[in-house]
Each structure stands twice: as structure tokens, then as C-alpha cells.
Amino acid sequence: MDEILVTRSSMPDIEEYTNEIKELWDSHWLTNMGVKHKQFQAELESMLGVKHVALYCNGHLALENILEALGLPKGGEIITSPFTFASTTHAIVRSGYTPVFCDIDPVTYTIDADKIEELITEKTVAILPVHVYGNICDVEKIAEIAGKHELKVIYDAAHAFAVSYKGKSVAGFGDASMFSFHATKVFNTIEGGAVCYHDDSLEQRLKDLKNFGIHGPEEVAYVGGNAKMNEFCAAMGICNLRHLADEIKKRSAVYARYRELLGGKEGLTLCPAQEDVTPNYAYFPAVFDKAVFGADRDEVYKELEDNKVFARKYFYPITTAFDCYKGRFDPEATPVALDISKRVLTLPIYADLALEDVDRICGIILSLSKT
Ligand SMILES: *Cc1c(COP(=O)(O)O)cnc(C)c1O
């Protein structure tokens, strides 16, 4: 039996890609905001319905750059949640801010908006919530809190590309939203990312940050770094964007099959569909309660692994429990996040995952159930 990984990168036909990059062999223009970069950026702006999209070599640097571009007072506190990928917390810390951890909602696993206000202090400068698994945060409540306390809101939307809420792309919420186009995401540019924002005045600063602050051949106006998306990645994005709707449709069939086979099983919790949300079926998390189901997350993980099915413990450990943050942050301060992280398993999901494989995966999981 072939092994099944948690995800499998979407790729266009090789002919489609080679056709897309042919121009680059003619022009020898491989990076630095060339034709592919410009075209891809324009396509995203129109698809997402946002005024500005800045393309990046990865999502993480997009996040660090928008944090810097916003010019928030250094040393300020940023309210976020620890049930996320390392990038979110690292970006805050590496940018010179102090993350303040809010617990997560026990149903959507996104930041618990009802617990944000009690964490706000004189030093709070922003809120950085994560649309975990493509589940949308309580964007209305977060906007209300941010408005009341004059805080910036930056969404880590790495999981939520192509997700919309009440007919609007998630890209438009908050002051800025970051997407990751990493190979493992629903939509990829091999490596890549973007930040979407509304404020015109951020445009030049983001350009400076991703291209050394160079304004002209003899003019360097800002101490910037390098985080540009190159032409080959932009070309991959242009190709993959053509197939995105189809990929998501195929994912939805895999998702539906999982729900059909695992839904309603005692001791096994799945994420409910969110009202008014058009999902992207990015992940399929399942949370196990050993006392009821009969096996814990680690036992399920191991049994799948023994059958060459490689699920992932996203997100375990929570970022506050990382070795690099030992003694600095307290994992116990967010009990819901801590609990879910110990019981969650994200199951394989990608467009080309065969429904028979989903059946097999569910069979392995259910074989461990005592009910
Ligand atoms: C993937 C991911 C990132 C970082 O994106 P890269 O493109 O890999 O740098 C940030 N946050 C979350 C939640 C992610 O899943």
C-alpha cells in the first residue's frame, strides 16, 4: 500500500508551467518585480477584491514586514493565540513585540473574542488572530474591540486563502491579512506569501522592506531586507490560480466523505461548518476524547502511521510550550488551547486524495473505537 501524507502539493501540468515561464528564458528577467510578479499581483487584487496585495517570498516574512510597516511602538503587546504554527508567535517576537496569549474558542479553535478585552493593557498595540484551519475568527467582534481601543488588527490568514464570509474574501478584514502560498497550503506558489491591506501609505514601506529600501540606482532610502517573490514562483501562482476552484471542489468531496464516515461518532469531534462562510477545505481536524472514543490522539496517530498514513498533530505543541520559549510564556494560561493541542489530529486532505483512501483511513480510525 502506498503511503499517504497529510497533504500533497497542487501542481499544474508541466506543459502549462513551462509555457508560463518561456518568456523568462527570452527576457532573462528572473526576479525583482517582473512581468509575472505584476500579473500575479493584479490577478490576486481582482480575485480577492482588495485594494493592495504585496507579494512575498513566503508568508512568514510577509507577516514580519507588515508588523514593521505598521510602525507600532516597539516593545508593545500584541494579543494573539498560541494554537497556531510557529510563524505567528515568532513573527511577533522577532519584530520586537511581546505576544500576549488569549485562549481559543472550543468550537472553531480561533481566538476567543470574548477573552480579548481582559488582556488589553496600556501597552497593547495590536491583535493578531489566526483563521485556524480556515475557520474564520469572530471578525465582527474583533473589529469592534479594536475600534474601541484603537488597536491594529493583523490577521494570520495563512490557512484561509479563497475563504469568504458573507460573500466577501477574508483578505479584506482588519488592517491587513497575511496569506501563505507554501507548498503545503491549499494554493501554492512553491514558497510564497502575500499581505493584503487597505492603507495606501503602507505601499512604499512594504516595497522598502522587501527590497532593501532601494528607490533608485543611486538612492537607498530605508534600511530594508529582501523578501521579494521571484518570477518562477509568481508563474506557479498564475498557473495554480487557474485550477483553484477545481481543486477546492475536489477537496470538498474528500471533506464530505470524512464527515459522512466520522461524523456523529461519540468521542470524536469534528469542526462544524461555519454560518455564512464559503470554506476552502484546507484541513480536516479531528479531536479525540479517549474516555468516550476508546483511543487517544497519539494512539490513533500511531495506528495510522503503522498503516503508512501520516496524519499531523497540528498544532502540537502550542507555541507557548516550545523549547525556545521555556520559562517565558505559560502554556497553562490558555487551557482550551493546551487541551485541544493534546487531542487533535489533522487527517490527510488534498484534491487528489481518492475517496477509497478516505474510506481506508476512516476504517483504521474507527477500528480503534470501543463503542
Ligand atoms: C504556513 C503558515 C505560516 C507561514 O507561512 P510560510 O509561507 O511557510 O512562511 C504562518 N502562519 C500559519 C498559521 C501557517 O500555517
Side-chain angles (χ1 to χ4, degrees):
M1 203 83 77
D2 284 345
E3 57 180 38
I4 297 174
L5 305 184
V6 73
T7 190
R8 189 162 184 268
S9 300
S10 301
M11 294 171 84
D13 284 343
I14 191 163
E15 293 76 22
E16 184 179 351
Y17 187 67
T18 50
N19 192 44
E20 198 64 48
I21 59 174
K22 224 172 222 129
E23 273 173 85
L24 307 177
W25 255 262
D26 299 334
S27 69
H28 285 241
W29 187 296
L30 309 184
T31 185
N32 284 48
M33 285 65 81
V35 289
K36 297 298 166 191
H37 187 287
K38 291 199 178 95
Q39 180 187 335
F40 182 44
Q41 181 180 334
E43 286 182 10
L44 288 179
E45 282 168 356
S46 117
M47 171 200 160
L48 300 171
V50 287
K51 190 155 181 209
H52 297 287
V53 173
L55 298 177
Y56 278 87
C57 58
N58 59 55
H60 179 78
L61 283 173
L63 193 53
E64 286 199 8
N65 277 204
I66 187 64
L67 283 174
E68 187 168 349
L70 286 167
L72 304 165
K74 287 280 166 182
E77 295 175 352
I78 298 185
I79 297 172
T80 188
S81 57
F83 189 72
T84 181
F85 184 55
S87 172
T88 323
T89 301
H90 284 356
I92 296 171
V93 174
R94 287 171 51 79
S95 303
Y97 301 101
T98 303
V100 171
F101 295 96
C102 184
D103 211 346
I104 58 170
D105 178 275
V107 177
T108 63
Y109 313 134
T110 62
I111 197 165
D112 186 339
D114 292 328
K115 293 184 181 149
I116 293 175
E117 265 192 307
E118 64 203 55
L119 297 171
I120 296 175
T121 71
E122 308 270 78
K123 289 193 190 149
T124 309
V125 293
I127 307 171
L128 204 169
V130 186
H131 298 307
V132 180
Y133 304 136
N135 286 340
I136 301 311
C137 299
D138 189 343
V139 290
E140 281 139 0
K141 180 117 201 203
I142 291 167
E144 187 190 311
I145 296 167
K148 186 167 147 199
H149 298 273
E150 293 182 38
L151 303 173
K152 297 285 183 197
V153 179
I154 305 107
Y155 281 104
D156 180 335
H159 294 183
F161 189 72
V163 176
S164 60
Y165 174 61
K166 293 187 176 163
K168 282 198 290 192
S169 161
V170 297
F173 295 113
D175 294 277
S177 289
M178 174 278 278
F179 290 115
S180 164
F181 306 143
H182 184 259
T184 54
K185 305 297 204 265
V186 166
F187 168 77
N188 83 81
T189 62
I190 307 170
E191 288 259 13
V195 56
C196 304
Y197 59 99
H198 320 286
D199 181 355
D200 297 338
S201 72
L202 291 170
E203 189 173 9
Q204 187 58 49
R205 185 47 42 87
L206 287 169
K207 278 184 183 160
D208 287 344
L209 285 165
K210 72 172 168 182
N211 193 27
F212 306 107
I214 293 173
H215 284 204
E218 298 181 9
E219 192 193 353
V220 180
Y222 190 82
V223 189
N226 179 9
K228 303 179 296 287
M229 177 179 281
N230 69 56
E231 291 294 278
F232 291 81
C233 290
M236 189 71 162
I238 290 166
C239 293
N240 276 339
L241 207 50
R242 293 186 190 118
H243 307 286
L244 179 65
D246 194 40
E247 293 276 309
I248 291 178
K249 199 167 158 218
K250 288 198 206 154
R251 278 174 175 272
S252 82
V254 173
Y255 194 92
R257 186 68 147 236
Y258 270 126
R259 288 206 79 94
E260 184 189 326
L261 297 172
L262 301 178
K265 183 75 195 166
E266 298 275 312
L268 200 173
T269 307
L270 308 179
C271 275
Q274 286 182 294
E275 216 177 306
D276 298 322
V277 170
T278 308
N280 65 358
Y281 309 103
Y283 297 87
F284 198 93
V287 173
F288 296 88
D289 177 352
K290 176 160 181 152
V292 183
F293 184 74
D296 66 20
R297 186 270 308 271
D298 291 340
E299 288 163 344
V300 177
Y301 176 85
K302 180 72 178 33
E303 185 65 20
L304 287 170
E305 189 182 59
D306 289 346
N307 285 279
K308 295 211 269 178
V309 175
F310 300 93
R312 292 299 294 266
K313 300 174 190 178
Y314 287 145
F315 291 99
Y316 177 82
I318 52 175
T319 65
T320 44
F322 286 176
D323 290 339
C324 60
Y325 293 130
K326 211 162 233 145
R328 201 158 156 193
F329 305 133
D330 178 13
E332 310 281 342
T334 54
V336 179
L338 187 61
D339 173 52
I340 298 298
S341 77
K342 291 173 179 167
R343 299 196 291 116
V344 70
L345 198 59
T346 54
L347 304 179
I349 185 166
Y350 46 87
D352 295 328
L353 182 60
L355 298 183
E356 300 78 71
D357 285 329
V358 177
D359 295 350
R360 184 165 74 86
I361 293 165
C362 293
I364 296 164
I365 295 169
L366 294 174
S367 73
L368 295 174
S369 169
K370 304 285 191 293
T371 60

